[in-house]
Structures are given as C-alpha cells and as structure tokens.
Amino acid sequence: MDRAEVDSSIRSLIEPFNKKGVEVADNTTFANDLEFDSLTVMDFVAAIEDEFDIIISMNQQAEIENYGQLVDAVTKLQN
Amino acid sequence: MSNPIDQASAATDLFSKFDPLIQQRQQLLDAGVQDPFSLVMEKVLSPTRAICNGRETILLGTYNYMGMTFDPEVIEAGKQALDDYGTGTTGSRVLNGTYQGHKECEDALKEFYGMDHAMVFSTGYQANLGIISTIAGKGDYVVLDIDSHASIWDGCAMGNAEIVPFKHNDIEAMEKRLKRIPEGAGKLVVLEGVYSMLGDIAPLKEMVRVAKENGAMVLVDEAHSMGFIGENGRGVAEAEGVMDDVDFVIGTFSKSVGTVGGFCVSNHPKFEIMRLVCRPYVFTASLPPSVVATAATSIRKLMHGSNKRAHLWENSKNLHGGLKALGFQLGTDSPQSAIIAVIMPDLERGAMMWEALLNEGLYVNLARPPATPANMTLLRCSLCAEHSEEEVRTILGMFERAGKAVGII
C-alpha cells in the first residue's frame, strides 16, 4: 500500500473517534486538535493495528504527535 | 499588580503543570468535603478497627486481607528480631544487607509457592520495577494488560523493551499482538491475578496458554490474591491450574502478609543472576530484620490458612450480594476477590459518600482517575478474614444510610 492508500484507509478508521468532526490534515495533532484521551488512543491504535496487521508499540506512539506522522509510520511499518 | 520579578518566577515554576489538579482539589475542599487523601488513623485497634477523628471506625479499605498484622506469633517474631539483629541493615542485599532473616524469608516463599528461587525486594513496587525493566531489554517486547498497576507501567518505562498494551482481559487482542511480534524477538507477557481497582480476576487459564503457545515468558502479579485465592493461597494462577506455566510470580508483603516488602519467585534455572543485575534490588537498602522476621512467620502461617480463606470468601459474597440488593452499582457482576468496588456517579458525590461513610464509622478507599479504569470514581471495599458476619451486616447498614443521604441509591 502506498502512502495515499494508507492515508485514505486511516481517514476512514479515524471517523468514529473524531467525535467533534475536526477537519483532519497532516498537521492535526491527536492530543490537542482531536482531544484524544489515553483510552481513545488505545482503541484507535488497536483499530489501525488490526487493519494493517502491524504493531505500533508505545515507544513508537510516543514519536507520533500528528496525523501526518501516523500515516508515515504506518506506511513504513506495513512494508 | 505584578512586577517583573513575579512574572519571571511564575514563568519558570516547575509546579505550574500541577495547577489543574490543585484547582480540582481546592474545589472539592471548598464544597465542604473532608480531604479523602489525608486521613490520619490516630490509633489502630485490630486488623479491622482504628480510631479516626476520635471515633472508632471499621476498616474496609485496607489490604489486610488475612488479618495478620496483629497475630501474636508474628508480632513476637518481629520483637525477637529487633532484639537480636537491631533496627535496620543499613545496606544493600548484595553487600552487608543480607541477614539470616532475609534468607529465612526467601525460604518461606520458596516453600509457600513450591518454586526453586525467591528474591525479596524492599517493596512490591520495586519488585515489578526491577524484574520487568531488567529481563525485557532492547529489542524485546513486553505485552501487557492496559489496566496494569503503576509499578508494572513504571517497570516498562524504565526498561528499553518495546511496550505493547492490549485491552483489559481481552484474550484475542493479546494473541493478535503476540503473533505480530517479529520472529526471534524475546517476549514477556505481564498479567495480574486480581486487578485491584474493580477487583476482577484475569482469565489466566486461557491467557497463559496463549502466551506459551506464542513463545512468550509469563509474569503474573499476584499481589491481591496471595494468601486468599487458590487452594494453597498461591493466587489466581493456582486457582486456574496454570501455576507450572508461569515463569515469574510477583508479590508483596504489604497485603495478606501484613508488613511491607516485595518479591519474585521463579523456577528459571538462571534466576539467581537477577541479584547482580537488577538495579532496584542492588541500589537500595534491604528490609529491616524485624520486617523479614514478621513476613517469614506470617507466610508460614498463611500456608495453613484454609479456614480463614473460606471465611473471607463468605464475607466477600455477603458484602457483594448485600450492596447489589441495596441498588449500588458494582465493579463486577459476581464477587471475584476480596475487593468489592462500588461505582460512584462522579468524584464530587464519591467524596461526599466517602465522608458520609466515615461519619457512620466506616473507612473505605476512594479511588479516582488516573488510578482507575475508564475515568471512574470508585469506593473500594476490601474485606478482611477478621471481619465477622455481623460486622458485614453493620457495614451494609452504613452503606444504606449513607447512600440514601447522598442520593446515590
């Protein structure tokens, strides 16, 4: 899957978690813009992990602050 | 109003990150509620009674599950050790801090669990911190339940392994993650027997099987089950028949054993090397002689505690059933341990209920986020084998009056 395909797939996965309907761009942050708490993060990460059959460890999650970084990381991990 | 010096000092105050918590606490106190986190027990009368605010109070929020703190033989052992060995070791276990009593305490643990090796730490927190951070290194994976205790999370944070949490007690979520770990990487699955916030137990039979099938080592924290759950009080792993497949059991002396300290028991043939490489074991003073003497005596008595275990189960069933009948919302559908968690609608009413119970003469634990799962506020009741049947009835009466007064039932 290339970056654009990963992007569109994650975009649909994020919808149920994006309760306020924030417009998602590469620089949208999970903590501030999307206001994800730790439980939401866990469920969202689990959804991505299951979709792409990958592990995003907490060590890797710590490096991911915004949407663009997440798409980059998943693109790399699933190859 | 503000001069430049004030502004400069405000801008660099490292404590400003705590402002939201300070405000939340102040709001609670301004509402007239007694601070639930600064209670002083003026006198302790027994494992189940103390004087708080000048009044005799039933204790229903300690981890004194087996009521060992006032056992005459245990107290005598501690006094003897004080006389014979003094007040403290003033040294690390690996230097001048291992006395005869430390070895005897480890021998008692080996016998209690039927395991080859036992290592005593100065606290249970340090046992998790030390073992997890030491055995899981760079390139290894730790797969753990999201509701794990702070000491487990801190052990993960202190080490260099990849940390992979899964949804609470979700066997399938755990299995999926184990299967995705790269081939050849070391794997450690970390589970708890009893999860202390809601008092629920882990489905260890299936989880340990799945972990083993996927080539992982298994560590189970049995802090809240020791002495009580399982035929010999070894914990949930014993009750579920998977003791032989657990590589490391972590436990504590600060609950059923009735003093302070932590431990790890294991059958791993190379386990003894831990004493040299585990920093939270090496770089701290060992437990005082009186503490290990009381622990060893208590552990040996717990081996023969089956009558007390049976009575504690009765207490747990009576309290759970009674609270449910009164209309309280509980953390588990059925009693699974000695902890019964009563779910409060919010922190404010939780604190009011806590205070109303204290005024009735009952102490319970108020637990709040971030210690609790799903941002819940809980009144945690932990039972003791020394609570009588009548006391449990008295406790239910107190809950009924307080619950109605606060408007929760």
Side-chain angles (χ1 to χ4, degrees), chain B residues 4-14:
Chain B
I5 294 168
D6 281 347
Q7 274 178 359
S9 62
T12 55
D13 186 359
L14 293 169

Side-chain angles (χ1 to χ4, degrees), chain A residues 37-39 42-43 45-61, chain B residues 141 144 146 153 160-168 176-178 180-182 373-375:
Chain A
D37 61 16
S38 59
L39 289 172
M42 185 192 68
D43 289 339
V45 168
I48 296 172
E49 286 179 327
D50 288 351
E51 176 70 23
F52 293 92
D53 198 24
I54 54 170
I55 283 181
I56 311 174
S57 71
M58 292 191 78
N59 320 45
Q60 290 164 319
Q61 289 172 36
Chain B
Y141 283 75
L144 80 165
I146 193 85
W153 283 110
N160 298 310
E162 296 293 320
I163 307 305
V164 182
F166 61 87
K167 194 175 166 204
H168 179 54
K176 275 188 202 160
R177 275 151 193 79
L178 280 168
R180 289 175 193 147
I181 292 173
N375 293 321

Side-chain angles (χ1 to χ4, degrees), chain A residues 15-34:
Chain A
E15 254 173 48
F17 300 98
N18 186 3
K19 299 246 161 66
K20 289 187 173 165
V22 175
E23 198 179 324
V24 177
D26 272 0
N27 63 0
T28 304
T29 64
F30 297 104
N32 295 325
D33 298 331
L34 289 159

